[in-house]
Amino acid sequence: EDDMNELGLDISKYDPDIDLVAWKNKHHLWGVIIKAGGHETGLGRYTDSWFERHYQNAKNAGLHIGYYYYTVSTDISNAVTDAEHFASIIKKHTYDLPCYMDVEDPRQFNLSARVLTDVIKAFCNRLIQLGYYAGMYTGGSAWLNNMYASELREYANWIAWWRATWPSAAGDIGMWQQGGIRYSDGHIVYDDISGYHDCDWCIVDYPSRINNGQKKYEPSKEESKTE
């Protein structure tokens, strides 16, 4: 039931005025993952300046919508507070794609795999307690080397792997970020509407799992299995 391959884009303030309707018409854009906000050194916790506009544009274009939150947190206490802040930003907004913790700060990768895995679980579990369908985003190398992926499969996994094919060693995931690069096999979508964008191939039918936008977490048998 979950075997699909639909095109998504992740967008933030760095993608101002992106024409989602044009992307939908030209490239069959299916969904977007919108940056809700984040927690960064020097900035504290913030809402992305384009969050509301991207949300309205995506709703108007009839796209599936999920969210992500960029965080530099390296301990459970801050991760839990980040999750609460994330939920406070999106609480009045509908979604039918997951709500992701964005894990890509070098300080996080300096942690032991045990600590980083526990930090990610703390963030995701707090989101679930608050009623959201939680997941995490990270790079392919970090997924394979910096955390215990087997313990994180119960959440929605969105992994960046900027190659033409997905490696079997990385196992099954829910969404694959391929990167805004042209490949000889033509699989990557590049764009003459508004430049290059990272492309996300959604493999799992999250809209069905998330119950048509209801804030419900239902891990499947597939997501719950260990490696």
Side-chain angles (χ1 to χ4, degrees), residues 83 118 120-130 134 154-155:
D118 288 345
I120 294 167
K121 288 164 98 171
F123 183 103
C124 291
N125 289 341
R126 184 64 184 127
L127 269 189
I128 291 166
Q129 286 175 347
L130 293 168
E154 66 181 285
Y155 312 110

Side-chain angles (χ1 to χ4, degrees), residues 4-84:
M4 57 193 288
N5 194 40
E6 299 287 354
L7 175 65
L9 292 174
D10 45 283
I11 56 177
S12 71
K13 71 177 182 181
Y14 298 110
D15 307 283
D17 302 314
I18 185 169
D19 190 336
L20 298 177
V21 172
W23 268 82
K24 185 177 181 180
N25 292 338
K26 181 174 181 179
H27 296 308
H28 307 291
L29 179 64
W30 177 82
V32 289
I33 309 296
I34 303 169
K35 183 176 183 180
H39 174 199
E40 294 182 50
T41 306
L43 292 175
R45 294 183 173 93
Y46 61 90
T47 300
D48 187 86
S49 58
W50 265 80
F51 172 62
E52 292 291 346
R53 281 174 284 186
H54 282 324
Y55 175 75
Q56 289 302 328
N57 290 339
K59 291 286 282 186
N60 292 341
L63 298 170
H64 295 286
I65 297 172
Y67 308 110
Y68 75 95
Y69 184 96
Y70 181 89
T71 169
V72 298
S73 289
T74 56
D75 63 79
I76 286 171
S77 176
N78 271 295
V80 167
T81 304
D82 285 344
E84 292 167 351

Side-chain angles (χ1 to χ4, degrees), residues 86-151:
F86 185 16
S88 74
I89 298 171
I90 62 177
K91 66 182 178 183
K92 294 181 179 177
H93 302 72
T94 59
Y95 70 95
D96 59 2
L97 295 176
C99 305
Y100 296 96
M101 176 187 190
D102 182 350
V103 181
E104 54 181 308
D105 188 84
R107 285 164 290 190
Q108 294 168 324
F109 300 145
N110 287 333
L111 299 171
S112 69
R114 176 73 273 146
V115 171
L116 181 55
T117 301
D118 288 345
V119 167
I120 294 167
K121 288 164 98 171
F123 183 103
C124 291
N125 289 341
R126 184 64 184 127
L127 269 189
I128 291 166
Q129 286 175 347
L130 293 168
Y132 293 89
Y133 195 107
M136 57 86 62
Y137 165 88
T138 197
S141 176
W143 176 243
L144 293 173
N145 301 304
N146 292 90
M147 59 191 70
Y148 295 128
S150 62
E151 295 184 23

